[in-house]
C-alpha cells in the first residue's frame, strides 16, 4: 500500500508565508489570504518542501578518529572487547583532552557541513569525550560556537556519564559523584547545557548511577535522555521513563515492559541504525512493538568516531527502512517532527503556523525518494530561519 498525500500531511501546489523567520501561513496556493498578496513571492518550481531535517543525536565534536579500531574489529575483535581493552570511547578521550575549543570546532566543521548539505537545520551535539571538568566544558563551548559559525540551531547535551575515565577505573560511583555531577552543575551555570544524557550499559554506567545523574539534572530543571538497551537490557529505558525522559536512544534490546514504559511516559524512541550497522549488531530495535504502542520514533546519525562514523541523515533514513522495516513516512517523521520531540522542541519539525521557517527543498518526485536512495543527496536548497 502506497500512502497518499494525507500520510505525509502533504499539500499539492502549496504556498508558505514566512514573516520574521517564522511560518505565518501555509496552505493551498489558491487559498492564500489577500493580506499576503503584496509580499514578494519566490517560486520553488513545484518542488517538494519538507521541514528542515533534525539530527537529534550526535557526538560530532570529538578529537581524533578510530580508523585503527575499525581495522581491529575487521580482524575479529568485538565492539565490547575493544572497549574493555581500553579502546573505544576512552581512546577518543585522550585525543579530545589534548584538543582546545578552536581545534574541536575546526575538526567538527567538515562533518557539520556534510550534515547541513542534506537539509539539516537543527543539530544536537553531545559532550562526553572529556570526562574531566575542563574538557567537558570545552566540548560544550565548541558545540555552542558551531551554532554561531554555521546557519544551524545547535542543541547541546551534557554526556559526562559516557564512560569511566582511566583515572577512575573501577570506581564509577566516585566518578559520578566527584566529576560528573559537579561538572554538570558548572556547565549549567555557564549556560552550556540544554539536556542531560547518560550511557546506561555494562561497559558504562548502571541504572542506579544514571539515576543519580538524572536526579541532579532535574534539580537544575534540565530534561534528560538516555543511551539505553544498546548491547543488553539493564532496564535503563524504564528508569529514564520514570524521570520523564524526552528520549531513549539505541534501544535494540528494549523489551515489552520497556516499550510500555516509553508509551506511558511519552518518551521518544530514538533509532540509531548507524551504530547497529557499524558494530554489526544482530538484535534490531522492536519497531513493530513501538509502532503498535504508539511510541514516537525518531532517527539520528549518532555521528561519533567509534560506533557510528555516519555523516548522512538521508542514509540513516534508508538504513532504518531497509534494516529495521520502518516505512518512508516513519523515516521522514523520524528526521523531522519526532526528532524535534526527542529534543523537547515544539517550535520546529513541522511546517505549520508559528513554527520556525526552517525548510528543506528537494529535487524528488515523492517523499519516499528521500529514504529510497542509498548515498544520494537530492537537496535543492536549505532555508534556515526563512533565509536560503
Ligand atoms: O564509540 C564511541 O566513541 C561512542 C559510542 C557511542 N556512545 C554510546 O554511549 N553508545 C555508542 O554507541
Ligand atoms: Fe550516541
Amino acid at each position: 500500500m502506497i500512502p497518499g498525500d494525507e500520510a505525509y500531511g502533504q499539500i499539492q501546489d502549496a504556498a508558505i508565508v514566512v514573516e520574521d523567520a517564522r511560518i505565518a501561513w501555509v496552505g493551498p496556493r489558491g487559498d492564500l489570504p489577500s493580506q499576503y498578496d503584496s509580499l514578494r513571492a519566490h517560486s520553488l518550481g513545484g518542488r517538494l518542501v519538507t521541514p528542515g531535517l533534525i539530527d537529534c543525536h550526535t557526538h560530532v565534536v570529538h578529537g581524533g578518529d578510530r580508523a585503527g579500531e575499525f581495522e581491529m574489529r575487521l580482524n575479529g575483535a568485538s565492539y565490547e572487547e575493544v572497549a574493555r581493552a581500553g579502546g573505544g570511547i576512552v581512546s577518543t578521550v585522550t585525543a579530545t583532552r589534548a584538543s582546545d575549543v578552536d581545534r574541536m570546532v575546526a575538526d567538527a566543521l567538515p562533518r557539520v557541513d556534510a550534515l547541513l548539505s542534506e537539509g539539516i537545520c537543527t543539530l544536537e551535539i553531545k559532550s562526553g569525550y572529556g570526562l574531566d571538568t575542563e574538557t567537558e566544558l570545552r566540548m560544550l563551548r565548541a558545540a555552542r560556537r558551531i551554532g554561531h559559525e554555521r546557519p544551524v540551531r545547535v542543541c547541546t547535551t551534557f554526556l559526562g556519564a559516557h564512560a569511566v575515565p582511566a583515572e577512575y577505573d573501577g570506581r564509577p560511583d566516585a566518578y559520578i559523584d566527584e566529576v560528573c555531577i559537579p561538572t554538570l552543575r558548572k556547565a549549567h551555570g555557564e549556560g552550556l547545557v540544554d539536556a542531560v544524557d547518560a550511557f546506561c550499559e555494562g561497559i558504562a554506567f548502571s541504572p542506579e548511577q544514571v539515576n543519580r545523574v538524572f536526579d541532579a539534572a532535574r534539580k537544575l530543571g534540565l530534561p534528560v535522555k538516555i543511551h539505553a538497551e544498546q548491547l543488553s537490557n539493564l532496564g535503563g529505558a524504564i528508569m529514564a521513563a520514570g524521570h520523564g525522559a524526552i528520549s531513549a536512544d539505541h534501544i535494540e534490546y528494549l523489551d515489552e515492559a520497556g516499550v510500555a514504559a516509553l508509551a506511558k511516559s511519552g518518551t521518544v524512541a530514538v533509532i540509531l541504525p548507524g551504530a547497529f550497522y557499524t558494530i554489526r549488531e544482530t538484535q534490531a530495535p522492536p519497531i513493530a512493538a513501538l509502532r503498535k504502542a504508539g511510541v514516537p520514533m525518531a532517527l539520528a546519525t549518532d555521528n561519533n568516531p567509534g560506533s557510528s562514523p555516519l555523516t548522512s541523515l538521508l542514509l540513516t533514513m534508508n538504513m532504518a527502512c531497509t534494516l529495521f522495516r520502518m516505512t518512508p513516512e516513519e523515516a521522514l517523521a523520524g528526521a523531522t517532527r519526532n526528532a524535534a520531540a526527542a529534543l523537547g522542541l515544539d517550535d520546529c519539525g513541522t511546517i505549520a503556523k508559528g513554527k520556525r521557517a526552517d525548510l528543506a527543498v528537494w529535487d524528488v518526485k515523492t517523499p519516499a525518494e528521500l529514504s529510497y536512495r542509498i548515498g544520494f543527496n537530492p537537496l535543492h536548497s536549505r532555508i534556515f530561519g526563512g533565509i536560503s
Side-chain angles (χ1 to χ4, degrees), residues 11 37 49 66 68 130 138-139 142 145 149 176 205 215 221 237 246 252 307 313 335 337 340 351:
I11 301 171
D37 288 350
V49 181
R66 302 249 287 282
R138 289 203 304 277
M139 289 190 74
R145 179 131 26 116
E149 294 204 9
I176 293 289
F205 297 95
D215 282 342
I246 51 178
E252 279 84 344
S307 73
L313 191 53
R337 68 171 185 269
I351 302 177

Side-chain angles (χ1 to χ4, degrees), residues 161-247:
H162 194 194
V164 180
E167 62 271 24
Y168 277 88
D169 198 22
R171 297 188 298 130
D173 285 301
Y175 169 72
I176 293 289
D177 295 334
E178 297 170 11
V179 179
C180 184
I181 292 174
T183 301
L184 167 57
R185 292 186 179 120
K186 186 170 173 58
H188 173 65
E190 290 189 25
L192 293 171
V193 183
D194 298 322
V196 177
D197 191 352
F199 186 14
C200 187
E201 192 55 70
I203 57 172
F205 297 95
S206 70
E208 296 70 30
Q209 289 155 354
V210 171
N211 189 58
R212 295 216 304 278
V213 176
F214 284 2
D215 282 342
R218 294 178 69 198
K219 286 191 177 86
L220 296 171
L222 292 169
V224 299
K225 51 181 56 245
I226 191 170
H227 287 63
E229 278 69 85
Q230 178 182 4
L231 306 173
S232 65
N233 187 338
L234 299 183
I238 290 177
M239 181 275 297
H243 280 277
I246 51 178
S247 80

Side-chain angles (χ1 to χ4, degrees), residues 59 66 79 89 129 162 199 227 230 250 275 302 304-307:
H59 309 253
R66 302 249 287 282
Y79 183 65
I89 295 171
Y129 287 116
H162 194 194
F199 186 14
H227 287 63
Q230 178 182 4
H250 286 291
D302 190 17
N304 74 69
S307 73

Side-chain angles (χ1 to χ4, degrees), residues 19-40:
E19 284 181 328
D20 301 327
R22 293 277 170 164
I23 294 167
W25 185 90
V26 55
R29 189 157 55 108
D31 296 349
L32 184 68
S34 58
Q35 70 193 75
Y36 300 123
D37 288 350
S38 61
L39 293 181
R40 181 169 59 85

